[in-house]
Amino acid sequence: MATTVVMEALSPTMEEGRLVEWKKQPGDAVAVGDILAEVETDKAVMELVARAAGTLLKHAVAAGTTVPVGQALAYVGAAGEVVEGGPAAQTTPAAQGAQAAANGREKAPPTPVAAAAAPPAGGRLKASPLARKIAADRGLDLQAVTGTGPEGRIVLRDVETAGARQPTAGGRQATTTAPAPSRPQVVTPALTVAPGAAFTDVPLTQIRKTISKRLAQSIGPIPTFYLTAEADMTRAAEAREGLNALGEGKVSFNDIVIKATALALRQHPACNAWWQEDRIRYWADVHVAMAVAVEDGLITPIIRHADRKTLREIGAEAKDLALRARERKLMPEEYTGGTFSVSNLGMFDIDEFTAIINPPEAGILAVGRIADQAVAHEGQLAIRKRLRLTMSCDHRVIDGATGAQFLRTLVRMLENPLGMVW
Amino acid sequence: MTAKADRKRGSPAAAGAAAPNPTSDLNADTQRSWLRQMLLIRRFEEKAGEAYSLGKIGGFCHLYIGQEAVAVGTLAAMRGDDYITASYREHGHALARGMSARAAMAELFGKAAGCSHGKGGSMHLIDASLGFLGGHGIVGGHIPLTTGMAFAIKYREEDRVAVCYFGEAAVNNGAFHEALNMAALWKLPAIYICENNRYGMGTALERASAIYDISERALSYDMDREVVDGQDVLVVYQAMQRAVKRARENKHPTLLEIRTYRFMGHSMSDPIHGHYRTREEVEEHRKRDPILVWSEKLKADGIIDERGIKSLDADVISEVEDAYRFADAAADPEPGELWTDVYASGGTA
Amino acid sequence: MAVITYRDALNQAIREEMRLDPSVFLMGEEVGVYQGAYKVSRGLLDEFGPMRVVDTPITELGFAGVGVGAAMVGLRPIVEFMTWNFALLAIDQVVNTAAKMRYMSGGQISVPAVFRGPGGSALQLAAQHSQAFESWYAHIPGLKVVMPATPADAKGLLKSAIRDEDPVVFIEGEMLYNTKGEVPEGEYLTPIGVADVKRAGTDVTLICHSKTVSVALKAAEQLAADGIDAEVVDLRTIRPLDHETVLASVSKTHRAVVVEEGWSFAGVGAQVVDVIQREIFDELDSPVLRVTGADVPMPYNKHLEKASKADPPKVIAAVKRVMYLES
């Protein structure tokens, strides 16, 4: 009698999975433990292994299809056996077994108790601080990890094996006990906007769906996190002085920040994006919205194509937009359509602050004041002009490393203003 | 009378009090200066009591009123480079040693300008430059320190002396015996001054000590001893002169029992009489107020007249008022001072 | 390099410092004529005479106070307690005076004294002679607490302690006096406040001091046979505690066991655990465990005594627990 292969719950939170690729075709011989297919769960791409031996009789679904847990995917039986399309008599739903099978570490208990795989009903998930940290660094969801410590505590070795077994979205392997490398490679989807197109839409992957859902639950409609960096503005100040000495229109620090932000966004398109509920829209062009305080609130006029404009052009345009914003003379198209925002409270002597994301944009940069500070500079204590930048990121769109890399580029731009001019 | 002449257990009368007081070696200025010092201590303590009741001084505050002749008389017989330690009832000793009323009052107020920078308070007046090494808060605990200082003097072959002030209740404490034993054993230049004011807090001497004559404790250590009338500054001075001479020249320690009386409660939080003594007793002792005793003598000797005394008093009152205003207006220690002076490196460990 | 005993290393340190600085002197019970209850001061009376090697009566409170008083006016006493059990009589002078003078004088007075002697248990000395008091003194701001485990550290740390401007509680081990090791001759200073990695490892950190260093090292050897690579951190100074070395090690191994001779309640290990969980919580893969002396007065019976002490099997059991290897 044929055995039905079903979509297994490969993580405790998995409700559906996308069949990425079939590894066995109808007619292929199948042994217990053979890899039948790759399935993308809400966490990672995982292998679906055979629970029964025989011949793969039939695929029930095609590659690329998303299927709820429990639904039939294929049938394994005796060669030549005929199967109906309907449910088979014998199914093998055993998420826990899959994980145990993949567990390869020597000193791990040979057979972790199944009950330890999931947190106790109504109980909280137990994990060592280190396991939590590594899971967070590597994008592993602890819910999907089997804990082998006391009372099912997830410990280092559990996240190690889980990391090795479950490649993360970008395919990174978690391999060692060492903390995450200090310069992780950024994992970004292929972001090529077709020539002539304004944007490209990328459907949400399972992992992005889960991230968006959980993070939103955690913090509110926009799950925001914050990144702060400090830029040395001494050279930017010199450059600004030089430009202004030319007498061809004033350039403010804010103009420099806008320009640098735009250029950095060009290099990091993952941050130049909108959250669109079921997808993320990555924009081809960079339109920087700048927050302008008006009498009873604020408005965000847009510097379009800020990456392509000169500082002087940005300066003139920003001045004009701000003036007309305060006079309430902006046209709607002048304050909608930004792809990223910049908010500056430096003129109010604010050292640093966090700004609220302006949806559907995925990020906003909060700019503090430039202040003389004693810092170590080239191995010596020096008074330098320092600027604190805090980026608010919509975690559904921008992950920590992605935002951090963008911010690093931005700081480099600001610290080497010549790079902006050329 | 010295103990070497009085080895046998007996009743060492407060001989000094009865003996004639030759003052020929003291000029009139010195004698007036003692009166001024005693008045300064008296007015300072009265002002401290007032400030305490206004909440400007915190913690414990033990006043010296009634015992002024002890500090003034003994310190007058010492040299500027001698070492001094005292108990927590030490305001008078600090002033008699030369600490300014401002530095002392500011310390009571906990201010940065205080002698201990506001970190010691009433019980820990300290000025190392005066050799005034505390102000110690544990009864008897500082007596071995004095032995140690006397040891250092001998070790370095100096001719200083180390002097310790403590109350009669401390002599029942082990530290007293251990310290005096070593001082006598090693022949150290130390002087142990027991200010016998009759009460250890609320416990009368005879309820705490098996022997009434404190000086007899010295017999255990074959140490020189004297019993001194502590209400007569000249008697105190002369006894101290003898003790200093023994210590400085012969490296012989002395136990001086100086009988005095505290006119106030044990501390500011205690009543003047309480259950342990009567108002009549206190009033009786006030008749031998050391300031009164010395004023009468100076007047009788024609050294000062009533107007002169009034003028001295007005002078010290204005000094104390100045100290009060100074302390009141002075700045608290910087918050960062919390963390300094814990270790030599300045920081904490 | 000469191989000498811990006892002779201490003797060398005292002798060298007394030769260098005439303000340094040694005092305590039986330090002179008797040549030291544990012979640490052997030969010193002959060389320096009775004014600098001072035999005291049995009067711990008194002579500790004498030491502190002398230090207050500029001498540098080395106050020997025959054992730290007896020093309980002197704790008023150590805590109320030595540790406080600098602070309550607003920085005017230093107490550059060293209080030293053997601490902890030896063999069958029973309840009153077998106590580890380092956590008592380490509790006190104003004191430094130093506990060398090897002859070299004994010399280097004692010389540093004698030169230190602050009061130093220097706790030796009776059972360590006969241990031998290489000790540099002449000027050799070990800084106070710096721990030492006595064995490098990757899997678990054993944090120990004084006599428990050898316990930890023995445990580490046996663990190595099981494929577990333990790092042994000898604190050497209890206060100021070297956070940096401890945290660096545990950040690397992610698991730690603190081994000490004293009782567990509010012990040194409790402080170490506090620092670890506070500073590097996210580096921990398991709770930090402690192996301590049994929470009882020391029994006289030798089997009971042995059972009360921190030993390699107890350390190994704790390591297996923090590594989740217990069966």
Side-chain angles (χ1 to χ4, degrees):
Chain A
M1 185 171 188
T3 303
T4 307
V5 179
V6 302
M7 178 61 78
E8 298 183 355
L10 297 170
S11 84
T13 55
M14 175 175 164
E15 290 167 5
E16 59 182 19
R18 192 168 68 90
L19 201 141
V20 178
E21 187 188 352
W22 280 112
K23 295 290 189 186
K24 293 283 184 189
Q25 305 306 325
D28 288 355
V30 172
V32 172
D34 279 358
I35 297 163
L36 296 177
E38 284 186 346
V39 171
E40 186 189 9
T41 73
D42 53 345
K43 313 296 177 203
V45 174
M46 300 190 43
E47 289 160 349
L48 184 71
V49 297
R51 308 286 176 203
T55 300
L56 193 136
L57 301 174
K58 182 184 173 183
H59 289 159
V61 299
T65 315
T66 297
V67 177
V69 169
Q71 185 176 313
L73 298 177
Y75 304 95
V76 173
E81 188 177 345
V82 176
V83 292
E84 304 296 325
Q90 201 181 344
T91 60
T92 57
Q96 306 93 325
Q99 306 212 339
N103 195 330
R105 194 180 149 95
E106 282 177 16
K107 279 173 179 159
T111 319
V113 186
R124 63 175 198 88
L125 180 143
K126 289 177 181 153
S128 77
L130 179 66
R132 286 183 189 276
K133 182 182 143 216
I134 289 176
D137 286 350
R138 299 180 186 175
L140 285 173
D141 189 330
L142 287 173
Q143 300 279 357
V145 178
T146 305
T148 61
E151 296 176 39
R153 182 189 303 153
I154 297 165
V155 300
L156 174 63
R157 64 175 173 229
D158 302 324
V159 290
E160 278 177 342
T161 41
R165 194 177 69 245
Q166 309 175 358
T168 52
R172 273 189 303 131
Q173 298 283 319
T175 50
T176 66
T177 63
S182 56
R183 293 275 170 89
Q185 296 298 301
V186 179
V187 182
T188 43
L191 293 181
T192 41
V193 180
F199 55 80
T200 180
D201 279 356
V202 176
L204 294 183
T205 56
Q206 293 295 339
I207 191 168
R208 283 244 80 82
K209 277 186 195 171
T210 301
I211 288 174
S212 69
K213 201 164 76 185
R214 296 195 164 275
L215 296 181
Q217 281 167 354
S218 139
I219 198 165
I222 300 181
T224 310
F225 70 95
Y226 308 95
L227 299 168
T228 299
E230 197 169 292
D232 191 321
M233 295 296 280
T234 312
R235 291 171 70 181
E238 289 163 8
R240 171 172 171 258
E241 224 169 87
L243 286 172
N244 286 346
L246 296 175
E248 298 170 352
K250 293 283 182 193
V251 172
S252 70
F253 279 113
N254 199 49
D255 301 332
I256 294 172
V257 172
I258 287 173
K259 170 82 177 176
T261 302
L263 289 173
L265 286 169
R266 170 62 62 207
Q267 285 188 30
H268 298 273
C271 296
N272 194 47
W274 282 5
W275 173 254
Q276 298 282 275
E277 298 308 328
D278 62 341
R279 68 197 63 215
I280 295 168
R281 176 165 296 172
Y282 295 99
W283 287 95
D285 291 322
V286 176
H287 304 314
V288 176
M290 59 171 200
V292 173
V294 296
E295 198 182 325
D296 55 352
L298 84 162
I299 195 160
T300 53
I302 315 295
I303 311 250
R304 288 182 194 278
H305 301 293
D307 56 325
R308 296 189 219 151
K309 288 178 176 160
T310 65
L311 278 172
R312 204 191 314 154
E313 286 170 325
I314 289 175
E317 195 175 326
K319 197 172 160 190
D320 170 63
L321 285 168
L323 186 68
R324 289 192 294 116
R326 290 192 193 100
E327 294 171 352
R328 312 242 164 184
K329 287 180 182 168
L330 291 180
M331 303 294 285
E333 61 269 25
E334 288 180 301
Y335 55 83
T336 54
T339 57
F340 190 93
S341 291
V342 172
S343 179
N344 188 337
L345 292 178
M347 64 291 268
F348 299 111
D349 283 341
I350 295 299
D351 291 318
E352 61 172 307
F353 66 105
T354 56
I356 307 291
I357 288 171
N358 186 20
E361 290 165 32
I364 184 167
L365 187 74
V367 183
R369 72 176 172 132
I370 293 171
D372 284 344
Q373 281 185 31
V375 293
H377 177 73
E378 294 176 353
Q380 297 220 312
L381 195 62
I383 304 295
R384 305 287 296 179
K385 296 191 178 303
R386 305 286 290 183
L387 173 64
R388 293 209 144 199
L389 302 163
T390 301
M391 179 185 182
S392 308
C393 303
D394 183 338
H395 208 329
R396 296 170 300 183
V397 179
I398 302 173
D399 292 326
T402 316
Q405 295 234 337
F406 162 80
L407 207 50
R408 193 169 64 193
T409 301
L410 173 58
V411 168
R412 283 186 184 159
M413 294 261 185
L414 291 170
E415 292 186 341
N416 302 285
L418 271 185
M420 275 190 269
V421 176
W422 295 109
Chain B
M1 161 178 57
T2 69
K4 292 296 179 190
D6 184 41
R7 292 274 171 77
K8 294 187 192 80
R9 234 182 113 95
S11 170
N21 286 330
T23 52
S24 53
D25 62 325
L26 296 167
N27 65 37
D29 282 347
T30 301
Q31 296 184 52
R32 278 192 294 267
S33 77
W34 291 356
L35 180 59
R36 190 187 187 284
Q37 282 188 39
M38 288 195 288
L39 281 167
L40 176 67
I41 294 168
R42 176 68 54 89
R43 300 304 175 217
F44 181 95
E45 294 292 63
E46 287 168 354
K47 198 70 190 173
E50 179 188 329
Y52 190 91
S53 64
L54 293 173
K56 291 181 185 292
I57 296 172
F60 293 139
C61 185
H62 310 86
L63 302 183
Y64 197 58
I65 292 173
Q67 304 180 212
E68 291 92 341
V70 181
V72 172
T74 51
L75 280 155
M78 290 163 63
R79 219 166 62 189
D81 61 348
D82 293 335
Y83 297 131
I84 299 147
T85 55
S87 72
Y88 44 79
R89 193 183 304 285
E90 88 287 29
H91 306 171
H93 310 85
L95 293 169
R97 181 62 174 181
M99 183 180 290
S100 75
R102 280 186 167 199
M105 190 66 86
E107 188 59 35
L108 303 196
F109 277 54
K111 301 299 183 67
C115 59
S116 305
H117 306 168
K119 287 177 164 177
S122 164
M123 295 189 284
H124 307 301
L125 299 182
I126 296 169
D127 186 338
S129 71
L130 297 172
F132 195 78
L133 304 174
H136 296 267
I138 309 297
V139 171
H142 61 300
I143 305 176
L145 300 179
T146 301
T147 306
M149 291 167 197
F151 175 87
I153 291 166
K154 185 167 183 180
Y155 185 97
R156 290 192 290 230
E157 299 175 357
E158 298 168 341
D159 69 344
R160 303 178 204 233
V161 302
V163 178
C164 186
Y165 296 89
F166 49 91
E168 86 290 340
V171 306
N172 302 314
N173 184 303
F176 167 86
H177 297 278
E178 299 187 20
L180 267 65
N181 180 51
M182 281 183 281
L185 177 69
W186 295 336
K187 307 264 180 290
L188 301 180
I191 300 168
Y192 301 93
I193 298 175
C194 173
E195 296 191 54
N196 179 359
N197 66 14
R198 305 247 323 109
Y199 294 95
M201 203 164 160
T203 302
L205 168 64
E206 53 274 26
R207 293 176 56 224
S209 174
I211 57 172
Y212 183 81
D213 289 311
I214 299 297
S215 75
E216 287 182 12
R217 305 270 189 170
L219 299 175
S220 300
Y221 317 114
D222 193 23
M223 184 185 283
D224 290 331
R225 64 182 180 125
E226 282 197 53
V227 178
V228 184
D229 172 11
Q231 302 309 87
D232 185 331
V233 66
L234 180 62
V235 171
V236 171
Y237 169 75
Q238 290 164 336
M240 186 64 176
Q241 270 193 316
R242 293 187 286 275
V244 168
K245 185 173 161 60
R246 283 192 293 274
R248 214 185 292 290
E249 294 174 9
N250 306 321
K251 299 283 184 276
H252 281 163
T254 298
L255 171 62
L256 282 186
E257 180 193 349
I258 304 185
R259 291 184 178 169
T260 180
Y261 198 80
R262 137 164 82 71
F263 294 171
M264 309 299 284
H266 166 71
S267 76
M268 281 303 296
S269 37
D270 296 314
I272 289 174
H273 317 299
H275 298 292
Y276 61 92
R277 61 185 187 181
T278 62
R279 173 187 297 273
E280 291 69 31
E281 181 188 311
V282 176
E283 290 310 315
E284 195 58 31
H285 277 280
R286 276 188 176 277
K287 290 178 187 162
R288 292 208 72 234
D289 182 326
I291 294 175
L292 194 66
V293 169
W294 190 237
S295 296
E296 293 304 316
K297 175 154 197 328
L298 292 192
K299 279 195 286 185
D301 291 353
I303 303 240
I304 199 166
D305 60 10
E306 198 56 45
R307 217 172 115 223
I309 293 171
K310 288 251 171 357
S311 161
L312 268 188
D313 199 23
D315 188 38
V316 298
I317 286 172
S318 101
E319 183 174 341
V320 167
E321 289 297 331
D322 166 75
Y324 181 93
R325 284 192 302 273
F326 171 80
D328 205 23
D332 284 318
E334 294 294 324
E337 281 296 304
L338 175 64
W339 302 105
T340 64
D341 303 326
V342 182
Y343 291 95
S345 57
T348 57
Chain C
M1 210 183 302
V3 173
I4 61 174
T5 62
Y6 185 99
R7 177 194 333 271
D8 289 339
L10 293 168
N11 180 281
Q12 218 175 71
I14 297 170
R15 191 185 298 272
E16 287 176 11
E17 293 306 301
M18 286 183 72
R19 284 175 181 167
L20 276 173
D21 183 350
S23 68
V24 177
F25 71 101
L26 174 69
M27 68 187 306
E29 296 154 9
E30 312 291 7
V31 298
V33 174
Y34 190 88
Q35 306 290 310
Y38 295 102
K39 301 291 177 279
V40 169
S41 57
R42 187 161 48 197
L44 296 178
L45 177 65
D46 290 345
E47 177 169 353
F48 299 104
M51 201 65 216
R52 297 188 68 193
V53 180
V54 183
D55 278 322
T56 67
I58 299 177
T59 174
E60 280 80 9
L61 165 61
F63 72 72
V66 168
V68 174
M72 285 172 66
V73 296
L75 296 190
R76 305 186 84 87
I78 303 167
V79 179
E80 176 174 314
F81 292 121
M82 196 179 288
T83 85
W84 280 93
N85 300 286
F86 311 153
L88 289 184
L89 290 158
I91 201 165
D92 172 57
Q93 294 299 340
V94 179
V95 172
N96 269 323
T97 314
K100 303 287 192 290
M101 282 315 301
R102 183 185 302 284
Y103 198 82
M104 66 188 194
S105 70
Q108 297 179 72
I109 298 177
S110 298
V111 181
V114 176
F115 304 95
R116 52 156 289 275
S121 60
L123 291 173
Q124 285 194 275
L125 296 179
Q128 292 180 336
H129 284 69
S130 308
Q131 306 175 85
F133 287 120
E134 53 265 35
S135 66
W136 290 35
Y137 296 98
H139 189 64
I140 307 298
L143 297 180
K144 293 178 179 176
V145 181
V146 175
M147 297 189 73
T150 66
D153 287 343
K155 174 173 178 180
L157 283 165
L158 184 53
K159 285 172 74 80
S160 293
I162 293 167
R163 295 185 195 185
D164 204 280
E165 289 304 317
D166 292 309
V168 178
V169 167
F170 193 95
I171 304 178
E172 299 150 13
E174 187 182 331
M175 302 295 285
L176 294 174
Y177 284 138
N178 274 336
T179 60
K180 286 187 176 172
E182 291 193 335
V183 177
E185 276 155 65
E187 184 74 353
Y188 173 70
L189 295 169
T190 305
I192 291 175
V194 181
D196 187 39
V197 176
K198 289 284 194 278
R199 181 190 195 278
T202 54
D203 293 336
V204 60
T205 300
L206 304 179
I207 300 155
C208 47
H209 64 269
S210 191
K211 280 178 264 172
T212 59
V213 172
S214 63
V215 172
L217 286 170
K218 271 180 207 140
E221 267 173 46
Q222 293 173 38
L223 286 163
D226 289 345
I228 296 166
D229 189 13
E231 179 148 310
V232 175
V233 174
D234 173 7
L235 293 174
R236 297 200 297 196
T237 300
I238 309 303
R239 183 187 186 111
L241 192 62
D242 179 358
H243 292 194
E244 206 177 307
T245 300
V246 169
L247 295 177
S249 177
V250 182
S251 294
K252 178 175 71 176
T253 63
H254 306 296
R255 302 152 190 109
V257 173
V258 192
V259 191
E260 67 185 301
E261 185 179 354
W263 295 300
S264 61
F265 192 98
V268 170
Q271 182 66 23
V272 173
V273 172
D274 168 61
V275 170
I276 292 171
Q277 63 85 23
R278 192 153 33 87
E279 300 293 335
I280 52 167
F281 182 71
D282 285 321
E283 295 297 337
L284 288 177
D285 196 41
S286 52
V288 180
L289 295 186
R290 296 172 58 201
V291 175
T292 68
D295 203 14
V296 297
M298 182 64 80
Y300 166 71
N301 175 277
K302 70 177 169 188
H303 302 294
L304 294 181
E305 179 184 62
K306 186 170 185 304
S308 81
K309 291 183 175 178
D311 60 9
K314 287 176 187 162
V315 175
I316 289 166
V319 166
K320 293 200 168 165
R321 280 178 64 201
V322 300
M323 296 192 67
Y324 303 111
L325 295 175
E326 59 194 330
S327 49

